[in-house]
Amino acid sequence: MDGLNVSDVNLQVQLHPSRSNNVRNAVLRELSSLLLRFNEKFQGVVLAYEFKIDKVPDILPSMHPYLYVRLKAKLLLFSPKPDMLLEGKVVKVKQESIHVIILGFSSAIITDKDIREEFQYKTKHGKDLFVSRSHKQHVIKAGTMIRLLVKSMDEETLCISASLLPAHTGSILWLDKHVENVSLTDGSNKRRRGNEEESVMPEPSRTSAEAYSLVDHYIKKSKKHRESATQEPSRSEASSAMSDHSIKKSKKHRESAMQEPSRSEAYSAISDNSIKKSKKHKTREES
């Protein structure tokens, strides 16, 4: 989600001398007063903080001396700007508007003129909802987590005016499952913008770099697996090779068996030869 960032700042806090016994608790109390309020100095709403006392407190020379504490703090800021994408939970749906809560404290409202024509208002089982005309499973109702586009923000009330006109806004659950279809619908607009101006690739963030390195790891691993698979035969190939070898061996054995007579045929041939010799010998004796 856009609009969240961490800022490293140097702060100066003035404490009453009566709090000198426990400076850390006094600083915590002062910083807690900044939470969930828009701060013009930081240009955002302070959501959380952590700090470290940079210098031992000094007493300011004045009629009413105060402790002068210098801090190094890290602040988590919520600073939504126009055209940023935010995520929130729908708390109420009406025919003329959709009401959303963001991060549990900031409210957002989407009027009917900022809801694209794809969505149609319906009442089903006593519940108000918006259903997409082209994708019946794309439904927005109370309890749905949606992605919306920021139009403006009231710094005093922390109320955000939002829009669902872009195609990549709506139910987060549905968008995550159909991200390819959404990218295809936005493809023509991106190509037109690409022809008009030069596209610039943003520097990937830390999480993006880790994701890219993880993807590269799996690609190299699968490539290495494919190479090893091409070099070494699999079990099925080995078994088929063994079966082919046995078939060839049995075929060769049958051919040799056809060429050479069996033992029974040899014995019968020997007995016939001996009978012929004995008959020939008898005829000589009679003569």
Side-chain angles (χ1 to χ4, degrees), residues 33-53:
S33 64
L34 302 176
L35 293 176
L36 301 182
R37 294 181 181 178
F38 186 85
N39 192 294
E40 293 182 359
K41 181 179 179 180
F42 307 131
Q43 288 298 306
V45 181
V46 181
L47 301 181
Y49 62 84
E50 60 180 17
F51 69 92
K52 181 180 180 181
I53 297 176

Side-chain angles (χ1 to χ4, degrees), residues 2-195:
D2 299 336
L4 292 174
N5 59 82
V6 178
S7 179
D8 295 322
V9 296
N10 295 321
L11 298 178
Q12 298 175 355
V13 180
Q14 294 181 7
L15 303 178
H16 194 272
S18 61
R19 300 180 181 179
S20 60
N21 293 332
N22 199 336
V23 175
R24 183 172 181 82
N25 285 344
V27 171
L28 284 172
R29 184 175 297 179
E30 291 294 328
L31 293 180
S32 297
S33 64
L34 302 176
L35 293 176
L36 301 182
R37 294 181 181 178
F38 186 85
N39 192 294
E40 293 182 359
K41 181 179 179 180
F42 307 131
Q43 288 298 306
V45 181
V46 181
L47 301 181
Y49 62 84
E50 60 180 17
F51 69 92
K52 181 180 180 181
I53 297 176
D54 189 30
K55 188 178 180 181
V56 178
D58 296 332
I59 296 178
L60 293 176
S62 62
M63 295 296 293
H64 302 283
Y66 279 80
L67 295 177
Y68 184 72
V69 185
R70 294 181 180 179
L71 308 173
K72 286 185 177 180
K74 185 172 289 186
L75 307 178
L76 176 61
L77 300 174
F78 175 61
S79 53
K81 300 290 188 299
D83 297 331
M84 281 187 175
L85 290 175
L86 300 182
E87 297 176 359
K89 184 177 181 180
V90 177
V91 293
K92 190 175 183 180
V93 174
K94 297 193 297 183
Q95 186 173 2
E96 63 275 3
S97 61
I98 299 174
H99 299 263
V100 184
I101 190 76
I102 300 173
L103 297 177
F105 73 93
S106 180
S107 61
I109 184 170
I110 308 168
T111 60
D112 54 352
K113 66 178 181 179
D114 294 319
I115 301 173
R116 60 182 180 270
E117 296 181 356
E118 173 190 348
F119 290 104
Q120 182 181 8
Y121 174 79
K122 289 184 177 181
T123 302
K124 187 175 182 180
H125 304 298
K127 295 182 179 180
D128 300 327
L129 45 87
F130 279 92
V131 182
S132 172
R133 290 185 173 90
S134 54
H135 306 284
K136 298 300 182 182
Q137 295 179 350
H138 194 180
V139 180
I140 297 176
K141 58 183 179 179
T144 303
M145 292 295 296
I146 66 171
R147 186 174 293 125
L148 49 87
L149 188 74
V150 177
K151 292 179 61 181
S152 62
M153 176 179 174
D154 189 338
E155 298 175 356
E156 293 183 0
T157 61
L158 302 181
C159 184
I160 298 172
S161 176
S163 169
L164 288 179
L165 292 178
H168 55 277
T169 58
S171 172
I172 296 176
L173 184 62
W174 188 90
L175 291 172
D176 290 344
K177 290 182 179 179
H178 302 81
V179 64
E180 293 182 358
N181 295 334
V182 174
S183 62
L184 287 175
T185 56
D186 290 345
S188 59
N189 296 330
K190 289 182 180 179
R191 283 193 293 270
R192 284 198 298 269
R193 288 197 300 268
N195 294 331

